[in-house]
C-alpha cells in the first residue's frame, strides 16, 4: 500500500487504554497485513475508551468490493481470523468491546468523531465488562434418533404395512421423547450456569454442515459473561451437571473476548460502506 493510495479506517475493537497498549498494537498486523495503531481522544486518561485501527486500501474495502469479497470463503476466513487475533491480543492486556468485521470509516477523523460521540456509552460498557470473560455452552443430542425405518413385517400377526406403520410411529414417539429429555437437559444446564453469570445471550442453535460436523443435533448455544473469579466454579458446575446427563454431549467454549456482550458498532460515516460486515 503506497502512501498516496486512498485508504479507509478499519476499527477492530474499543479498548480501555492501559500503559503500553500502543506498543502491543505496533507489534501486530491486522487484516490485509496492515499495521495497527491506537486511536484515542487527545488528553484521554488511562482506562478511557480508544479504537484499535488500521488503514486499509479503499479500493479493496469499499462497499462494492466487499459485496464480492464476502462471497469469497477463503478471503472471509482469513480476514475473520486476522480480526479475531487482534481482538484476542487486546483482550489479553485490557478490557475490549469487539466490533463487527469490516467496521469502516472514511478516515481517522471520522472514526475519532464516532468515538467521541459514544464515549460515555463505551466507558460504561467497559466498566461493566472489566474482570469478566465470555464462555459458551453448546449441547448436542448424541443418541441415534434418525435410524432407518423398520423393516416391514417386523411385528408378527399383522400385515407388513401395518407392522411398518406401528414401528414407525413408535420410532417417532421415541424421537420426540428424546428431544423432550434433551430440552430438559438444556434447561438444567442453563439453571446451573445462571448463578455464576453476570449476563447471558441465547444464540440460535446451529444447523447444517457445521452442526453435523459436531456429531449431533445442536439444541443449546448459549454465551455467558462470567466474572473471572467464578470461572473455575462455573466450569466445574457445568461439567458436573453434564456428567449426569445421558444422550446429550456438552461443549464448553472459551475463554473469549466478550463478543456477545459488546455494544453494537458505531454507524460508519457515509462512505457507502455502512454495515458491510457480519458479526464476528
Amino acid at each position: 500500500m503506497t502512501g498516496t493510495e486512498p485508504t479507509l479506517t478499519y476499527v477492530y475493537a474499543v479498548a480501555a487504554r492501559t500503559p503500553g497498549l500502543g506498543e502491543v498494537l505496533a507489534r501486530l498486523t491486522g487484516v490485509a497485513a496492515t499495521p495497527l495503531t491506537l486511536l484515542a481522544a487527545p488528553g484521554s486518561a488511562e482506562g478511557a475508551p480508544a479504537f484499535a485501527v488500521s488503514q486499509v486500501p479503499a479500493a479493496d474495502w469499499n462497499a462494492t468490493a466487499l459485496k464480492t469479497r464476502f462471497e469469497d470463503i477463503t478471503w472471509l476466513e482469513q480476514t475473520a481470523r486476522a480480526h479475531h487475533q487482534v481482538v484476542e491480543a487486546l483482550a489479553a492486556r485490557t478490557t475490549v468491546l469487539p466490533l463487527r468485521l469490516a467496521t469502516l470509516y472514511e478516515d481517522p477523523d471520522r472514526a475519532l468523531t464516532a468515538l467521541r460521540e459514544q464515549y460515555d456509552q463505551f466507558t460504561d460498557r467497559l466498566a461493566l465488562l472489566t474482570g469478566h470473560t465470555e464462555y459458551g455452552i453448546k449441547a448436542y443430542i448424541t443418541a441415534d434418533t434418525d435410524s432407518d425405518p423398520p423393516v416391514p413385517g417386523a411385528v408378527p400377526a399383522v400385515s407388513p404395512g401395518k407392522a411398518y406403520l406401528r414401528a414407525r410411529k413408535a420410532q417417532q414417539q421415541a424421537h420426540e421423547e428424546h428431544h423432550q429429555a434433551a430440552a430438559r437437559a438444556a434447561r438444567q444446564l442453563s439453571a446451573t450456569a445462571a448463578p455464576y453469570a453476570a449476563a447471558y445471550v441465547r444464540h440460535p442453535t446451529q444447523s447444517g454442515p457445521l452442526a453435523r460436523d459436531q456429531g449431533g443435533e445442536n439444541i443449546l448455544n448459549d454465551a455467558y459473561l462470567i466474572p473471572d473469579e467464578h470461572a473455575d466454579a462455573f466450569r466445574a458446575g457445568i461439567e458436573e451437571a453434564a456428567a449426569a446427563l445421558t444422550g446429550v454431549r456438552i461443549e464448553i467454549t472459551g475463554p473469549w473476548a466478550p463478543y456477545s456482550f459488546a455494544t453494537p458498532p458505531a454507524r460508519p460515516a457515509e462512505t457507502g460502506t455502512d454495515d458491510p460486515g457480519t458479526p464476528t
Side-chain angles (χ1 to χ4, degrees):
M1 189 166 58
T2 67
T4 59
E5 183 178 357
T7 63
L8 297 172
T9 299
Y10 186 114
V11 185
Y12 299 81
V14 183
R17 292 187 66 182
T18 57
L21 191 60
E23 288 76 5
V24 171
L25 285 176
R27 295 193 293 268
L28 301 174
T29 56
V31 298
T34 53
L36 288 118
T37 58
L38 196 65
L39 182 65
S44 57
E46 182 177 334
F51 278 161
V53 306
S54 65
Q55 302 303 310
V56 296
D60 295 335
W61 291 86
N62 61 37
T64 301
L66 286 178
K67 285 179 181 178
T68 300
R69 283 178 170 264
F70 269 84
E71 296 175 357
D72 182 341
I73 298 300
T74 300
W75 179 90
L76 187 58
E77 288 179 350
Q78 292 173 345
T79 302
R81 188 177 300 112
H83 182 105
H84 176 70
Q85 287 173 346
V86 172
V87 171
E88 289 300 306
L90 288 167
R93 294 292 299 264
T94 189
T95 307
V96 298
L97 306 177
L99 298 184
R100 289 163 60 102
L101 198 67
T103 297
L104 296 159
Y105 294 88
E106 280 189 359
D107 51 46
D109 288 342
R110 296 290 184 93
L112 189 57
T113 296
L115 177 62
R116 286 170 170 155
E117 288 175 348
Q118 298 179 86
Y119 187 89
D120 291 342
Q121 178 186 357
F122 289 150
T123 299
D124 292 345
R125 196 63 180 169
L126 286 169
L128 287 172
L129 296 181
T130 297
H132 294 72
T133 304
E134 178 173 332
Y135 292 85
I137 300 177
K138 295 183 179 182
Y140 300 87
I141 294 177
T142 57
D144 183 9
T145 59
D146 295 314
S147 57
D148 293 333
V151 177
V155 180
V158 295
S159 68
K162 287 184 178 179
Y164 175 86
L165 292 175
R166 287 180 181 178
R168 186 60 173 168
K169 182 178 180 180
Q171 183 189 49
Q172 291 173 343
Q173 182 176 354
H175 181 84
E176 291 173 1
E177 290 174 352
H178 190 73
H179 272 259
Q180 291 171 0
R184 289 194 295 271
R187 289 195 293 271
Q188 181 178 341
L189 289 168
S190 298
T192 300
Y196 303 105
Y200 90 99
V201 172
R202 174 144 294 173
H203 293 299
T205 54
Q206 297 172 331
S207 59
L210 180 61
R212 288 195 295 271
D213 289 345
Q214 299 299 319
E217 180 183 350
N218 183 215
I219 59 167
L220 187 71
N221 186 19
D222 286 356
Y224 289 88
L225 186 67
I226 305 297
D228 292 341
E229 65 269 23
H230 295 163
D232 291 342
F234 165 77
R235 279 187 171 274
I238 296 300
E239 289 170 356
E240 182 179 356
L245 301 175
T246 58
V248 178
R249 181 175 63 82
I250 307 304
E251 178 184 350
I252 303 174
T253 65
W256 307 113
Y259 286 96
S260 300
F261 303 95
T263 54
R267 183 173 179 82
E270 297 298 327
T271 64
T273 60
D274 48 329
D275 200 23
T278 56
T280 56

